[in-house]
Amino acid sequence: MTVETDSFASGSPPPSPRADLVTAAVFVAISLTVLALALQMPTFTDRGGDPYTAPGIVPGFYGLVLAGISSILAVRALRRGALKRQAETAAPSGLYSNARLAIAAGLGLVYTVGLVGRVPFWLASALFIAAFVGAFEWDPGATPKARLRRLAVAAVIGLVAGGAAHAVFQEIFLVRLP
Amino acid sequence: MADGLGQLGGALAGFANFGTLFNVLWATLLGIVIGALPGLTATMGVALMTTLTYSMAHDSAILILICIYVGAIYGGSRSAILLNIPGTPASACSTLDGFPLARQGLAGRAMGISTAGSWLGTLFGTLCVAVFTPLLGELALTFGSYEFFWVAVFGIVVAGSLSGGDPLKGYMAGFLGLMIATMGQEATHAYPRFAFGSVDLAGGISLLPALVGAFGVAEVLQVMRGPAFRAVSSTVDSVIPRIRDVTQYWRTILRSGGIGTFIGTMPGLGEDIAAWSSYAAAKRASKEKEKYGKGSVEGLMAAETGESACVPGAIIPVLTLAVPGSAPAAVLLAAMLIHGLNPGPNLIVSTPEFVYQIVAMLIIADMAKLFFGLTLVRPLLWILLVPRERLMPIVFVLCTVGAFAIAQRTFDIYVMLFFGLLGFVLRELKFPMAPLILGLVLGDLLDKNLIRGLSLSGGDVTPFFTRPISAVLALITLVSVLWSIPPVANRIGALFRRR
């Protein structure tokens, strides 16, 4: 028996020292913000509360530790030449596609924020699945007839999957849908 | 002992009915399919099914989740062997020898070895659950706030150090998870932390939408961004395991079972570490090292036994300490809490029979896995043909339902989206996900016990370091951190080599 399939293998290249430096800076900023907000939290000692049960102790502790660890990452990134001029390292073209990512994320966003809760769930899901399949299986080089056929297949997949999701969740498993 | 066996027998008898059998069969099969499909993980499967089983009785729901978990970890080996693509991260190790065997025209034999190894591994781990859970549960009863604080910190540190990649980023992910877990009302004063006036944020971040986002949505985005197409082919011979493959490598099976179960008990490590560690140990001890990586039966057996033994192993700390041993076990823990069960030290006192119910569930799931492993080979291969462009939007819809259904809050869908994007970005930056999830799960435990400990001691931190179990846990945590610093680890290694 012969099997042919897609590869879903993922494993993008490791981040550069500069990316690590930026990441560390973001983490330090978040941790210090959390620390500052934790320090502003009430201690409830004025109401006779135990000072060691103050709501800010735990997040403050995390903020402090995370800021420290993130600083170590920043120092390491600097030592590895994060500030040096870096040669353009081209991503392995054809393997990782930001356009595909943007389409997937965009459609997901439209579905969850724009459709779910506003139209019946089965219809929202059918529209999303059909659009997703249609967008990713779109072949600009194909004949108009072939393109139309693919869009029809996408619509059928969307309707079947949307209807099945409604039937399985709402009718069989008695799960409330958005 | 006799009491335990009696309770196990009672649990098995309780599950002997048509409804349970039906649930076991479809759930295990679904688990195998989820595991076999690259891009769908065991964690995602268990998280989504937690929603579906929400309205069921707790024993049926947990049984289904365990079947999904056991099936998914095994199912990953199908695509690893036939396509050289691990269906789940846990089965990456199986590609090393599974795929070379398939290329030699021995795909069926490889799947037979995988089935036998996986079945025996889960059985070994299940035996350990039955024997060690009551013992560890009694030990856990002696734990106080100081000890639980260290258990939580130890979990984050171990997961950060050993869950693959950069330990520093592992610690960062862990503390980020802990930090996110502080959002919402805290336990002592009901003060809404980081709510910014939002009622939804004051309610805190629910674990399940976060998990569905980090493992489901992030996975969808990563898969859609990844390589587009690679055709692979293989042929399949008989999948019935050979008795000789099992008897010849019984030492490897026992060793891998032990390693897998032990790694399962370590917070946040999970099945992939178990498989790699078992494989490495088997290679070191092997008389046929030269075959490793070229289609070694022993290597494949070690990887499969190790990863499958890890599944019951990861459930041991869930039952005794309410600390998950792996990411899917974290979801299982969340599901137990949702169903009103009380995993942790009190479980062994309040509902000791539940431990044996879990053992019975593991045995039943393992048997169903063996059944499907030997029978449903070709239909499972067809499922691998589903293109990702058609599979991923359906997964996204399932994620949305999964995030919404527990509390029926639209806010949870946004939480799922946020964690999906966060998970995707962190993965791209090579942050491990297990410590982040463990941070979210252990946040409450750490928070309550740090505050309680400080309050009991009047702000004195010495009991955190001087009580015997606390001291041991603190020392192990410190050693784990030091060991993850390369210069320190090299110096310690050099010291031992000099001696």
Side-chain angles (χ1 to χ4, degrees):
Chain A
M1 182 178 196
T2 300
V3 180
E4 290 202 345
T5 187
D6 280 7
S7 163
F8 298 148
S10 63
S12 50
S16 65
R18 185 165 295 176
D20 275 350
L21 183 65
V22 173
T23 309
V26 171
F27 268 83
V28 168
I30 293 171
S31 339
L32 293 180
T33 307
V34 165
L35 185 59
L37 290 170
L39 287 172
Q40 288 169 20
M41 286 178 191
T43 59
F44 295 101
T45 45
D46 52 332
R47 295 181 208 170
D50 183 345
Y52 299 108
T53 62
I57 289 182
V58 175
F61 168 63
Y62 295 157
L64 208 62
V65 175
L66 190 56
I69 307 172
S70 308
S71 305
I72 297 172
L73 180 68
V75 171
R76 195 182 72 182
L78 286 170
R79 277 187 174 181
R80 289 181 180 174
L83 294 180
K84 286 181 189 160
R85 195 182 165 83
Q86 291 171 338
E88 285 293 318
T89 48
S93 59
L95 286 179
Y96 299 95
S97 164
N98 287 333
R100 292 173 69 89
L101 171 68
I103 294 169
L107 287 171
L109 208 63
V110 168
Y111 172 62
T112 47
V113 179
L115 290 174
V116 169
R118 292 173 208 273
V119 292
F121 183 75
W122 70 266
L123 182 61
S125 302
L127 286 171
F128 167 68
I129 294 168
F132 199 101
V133 175
F136 281 102
E137 293 193 351
W138 181 257
D139 181 5
T143 60
K145 198 179 167 188
R147 278 190 220 159
L148 204 65
R149 204 169 141 255
R150 285 194 178 194
L151 286 178
V153 168
V156 170
I157 292 171
L159 281 171
V160 170
H166 174 85
V168 170
F169 287 108
Q170 194 124 312
E171 309 302 333
I172 299 175
F173 286 98
L174 307 176
V175 170
R176 277 191 65 184
L177 295 171
Chain B
M1 181 73 180
D3 188 36
L5 281 175
Q7 291 195 38
L8 176 60
L12 282 169
F15 290 129
N17 58 68
F18 178 76
T20 303
L21 190 66
F22 175 70
N23 281 339
V24 166
L25 289 176
W26 72 257
T28 310
L29 181 60
L30 184 63
I32 294 173
V33 170
I34 288 171
L37 285 169
L40 304 189
T41 61
T43 313
M44 189 202 288
V46 180
L48 290 175
M49 288 312 295
T50 300
T51 303
L52 274 184
T53 54
Y54 176 57
S55 57
M56 289 184 172
H58 72 79
D59 50 350
S60 301
I62 301 298
L63 174 65
I64 287 171
L65 299 183
I66 285 180
C67 288
I68 295 275
Y69 186 8
V70 168
I73 294 299
Y74 163 69
S77 65
R78 294 280 145 155
S79 40
I81 291 167
L82 290 169
L83 313 168
N84 202 22
I85 306 162
T88 61
S91 46
C93 190
S94 299
T95 59
L96 294 185
D97 289 298
F99 189 62
L101 278 169
R103 290 185 74 170
Q104 292 162 27
L106 298 171
R109 188 180 174 199
M111 283 193 279
I113 295 160
S114 150
T115 304
S118 179
W119 181 67
L120 289 167
T122 304
L123 211 58
F124 184 94
T126 305
L127 187 69
C128 292
V129 174
V131 173
F132 294 115
T133 304
L135 299 176
L136 288 172
E138 284 190 20
L139 177 70
L141 280 173
T142 63
F143 283 22
S145 296
Y146 308 104
E147 287 78 16
F148 273 112
F149 167 79
W150 280 115
V151 165
V153 175
F154 174 69
I156 299 293
V157 166
V158 170
S161 307
L162 302 176
S163 60
D166 187 349
L168 198 58
K169 289 184 176 177
Y171 302 148
M172 286 169 72
F175 273 91
L176 182 67
L178 287 173
M179 209 183 252
I180 293 169
T182 61
M183 291 178 87
Q185 287 187 337
E186 45 84 46
T188 316
H189 302 284
Y191 177 78
R193 292 187 292 211
F194 310 115
F196 309 108
S198 157
V199 178
D200 286 321
L201 282 176
I205 301 293
S206 304
L207 188 59
L208 218 62
L211 287 169
V212 167
F215 284 93
V217 175
E219 199 76 43
V220 169
L221 295 178
Q222 206 164 23
V223 164
M224 292 318 296
R225 182 175 179 253
F229 184 79
R230 192 201 303 160
V232 201
S233 66
S234 181
T235 52
V236 178
D237 52 325
S238 168
V239 295
I240 305 296
R242 298 179 187 182
I243 300 294
R244 196 166 169 269
D245 285 342
V246 177
T247 53
Q248 193 181 351
Y249 299 114
W250 65 270
R251 280 193 190 89
T252 305
I253 292 169
L254 284 180
R255 189 191 313 107
S256 305
I259 292 172
T261 310
F262 176 72
I263 287 178
T265 60
M266 294 285 111
L269 293 192
E271 293 77 16
D272 46 345
I273 311 279
W276 287 109
S277 305
S278 304
Y279 185 83
K283 190 176 179 183
R284 258 198 307 276
S286 177
K287 290 174 188 164
E288 42 191 48
K289 289 187 179 72
E290 70 288 349
K291 288 186 184 170
Y292 276 70
K294 296 170 191 158
S296 163
V297 171
E298 188 182 23
L300 181 60
M301 185 73 88
E304 288 293 323
T305 309
E307 71 172 38
S308 294
C310 182
V311 174
I315 295 175
I316 294 175
V318 168
L319 296 175
T320 53
L321 295 166
V323 172
S326 66
V331 191
L332 197 62
L333 171 64
M336 287 181 185
L337 293 171
I338 287 167
H339 281 280
L341 297 163
N342 188 21
N346 291 328
L347 184 80
I348 212 75
V349 179
S350 58
T351 44
E353 68 279 2
F354 184 63
V355 173
Y356 293 98
Q357 279 185 349
I358 293 284
V359 172
M361 290 174 191
L362 284 164
I363 292 171
I364 295 167
D366 201 30
M367 299 312 290
K369 175 178 77 179
L370 180 69
F371 170 72
F372 286 123
L374 298 179
T375 53
L376 282 183
V377 176
R378 280 161 202 269
L380 282 173
L381 294 181
W382 294 119
I383 291 164
L384 294 176
L385 293 168
V386 178
R388 62 179 175 172
E389 286 79 7
R390 296 180 185 186
L391 184 67
M392 288 302 137
I394 296 170
V395 172
F396 196 95
V397 169
L398 294 179
C399 288
T400 307
V401 177
F404 177 82
I406 294 283
Q408 278 111 45
R409 291 197 306 176
T410 309
F411 173 73
D412 284 337
I413 296 179
Y414 303 143
V415 169
M416 173 202 80
L417 267 185
F418 172 78
F419 275 89
L421 292 172
L422 180 73
F424 173 76
V425 171
L426 290 180
R427 281 178 198 210
E428 289 296 305
L429 292 167
K430 303 296 171 195
F431 280 80
M433 282 292 101
L436 178 80
I437 294 310
L438 210 62
L440 280 169
V441 174
L442 296 181
D444 188 49
L445 186 78
L446 206 159
D447 192 338
K448 281 180 184 157
N449 287 292
L450 175 61
I451 290 295
R452 204 175 291 150
L454 283 173
S455 192
L456 283 171
S457 64
D460 182 10
V461 293
T462 48
F464 283 96
F465 300 96
T466 52
R467 283 165 60 107
I469 298 173
S470 288
V472 171
L473 287 168
L475 191 69
I476 298 173
T477 306
L478 183 70
V479 169
S480 303
V481 173
L482 291 175
W483 197 258
S484 69
I485 304 169
V488 179
N490 289 343
R491 281 195 184 175
I492 297 170
L495 269 176
F496 277 103
R497 276 194 293 276
R498 236 175 269 164
R499 284 182 186 179

